[in-house]
Amino acid sequence: MLRTQRYAVGAAAGAFVLALAVSGCGSGATSSTPSPSKTGSSSSQPSGAALSTAKADKVGTVVVDGKGFVLYRFDKDTAKPAPKSNCYGTCAAQWPPAPAPAAGVNVKGIDSSLLGTVTRADGSKQLTLAGWPLYRYAKDVAPHEASGQGVGGIWFAATPTGAKAASSTGDGSGGGSGY
């Protein structure tokens, strides 16, 4: 019995690792869906299930996830005519997509009609704001930190309307990899 349990745990772990590896592959999104509905929060929802606004140093008012981490938009993505994510593989490891929970998103300070989702090539759903796919930055280690602002001249913190946040430093040298 113990041997069977070990095999089951090993198989489950292998499947998880395989799913993670596959999720980084692909090129582009396959479809978009209407905005998720505004819902109350629940303890079973991931931290990204809430969006609100916050002030970030040198950037101003931006969109943050449920844990207070700044969300970004990528200039190589598209918002119209349909949202499309173009950040996969190594890019997605540095800039993890903001997941779109099936239960919807609780918003504060953001017009919920601007929220939507895009289906990524791996089938996962990613949150969008005004059509722009949203991401975290792996090098942001504290809430309200916006060290990804202006990276490569193509990554910008998202404002509550989905626009690019303007950096008060104006140099766009956020460091790191812009992809």
Side-chain angles (χ1 to χ4, degrees):
M1 172 104 175
L2 185 57
R3 176 174 266 163
T4 303
Q5 288 175 335
R6 284 185 187 159
Y7 286 127
V9 170
F16 178 73
V17 170
L18 180 61
L20 284 176
V22 170
S23 69
C25 301
S27 60
T30 55
S31 68
S32 63
T33 57
S35 299
S37 62
K38 180 177 176 180
T39 65
S41 62
S42 130
S43 60
S44 66
Q45 290 182 329
S47 65
L51 295 180
S52 60
T53 60
K55 293 214 184 255
D57 287 342
K58 301 178 184 173
V59 180
T61 302
V62 296
V63 176
V64 296
D65 68 11
K67 290 189 175 182
F69 285 90
V70 173
L71 296 177
Y72 298 87
R73 52 176 274 181
F74 181 38
D75 279 353
K76 292 186 179 181
D77 286 345
T78 57
K80 294 181 181 178
K84 182 178 179 190
S85 174
N86 289 304
C87 180
Y88 288 89
T90 305
C91 176
Q94 191 73 12
W95 299 90
V105 179
N106 186 23
V107 296
K108 182 177 180 184
I110 302 163
D111 181 352
S112 62
S113 71
L114 295 176
L115 291 179
T117 63
V118 63
T119 302
R120 296 175 55 80
D122 64 3
S124 66
K125 300 282 186 186
Q126 181 176 359
L127 281 174
T128 63
L129 182 60
W132 291 98
L134 297 174
Y135 303 86
R136 285 259 324 262
Y137 184 43
K139 293 184 180 180
D140 283 349
V141 295
H144 305 173
E145 183 175 75
S147 56
Q149 174 68 10
V151 169
I154 53 177
W155 288 97
F156 298 93
T159 69
T161 63
K164 298 178 197 178
S167 175
S168 64
T169 62
D171 66 4
S173 64
S177 179
Y179 293 92

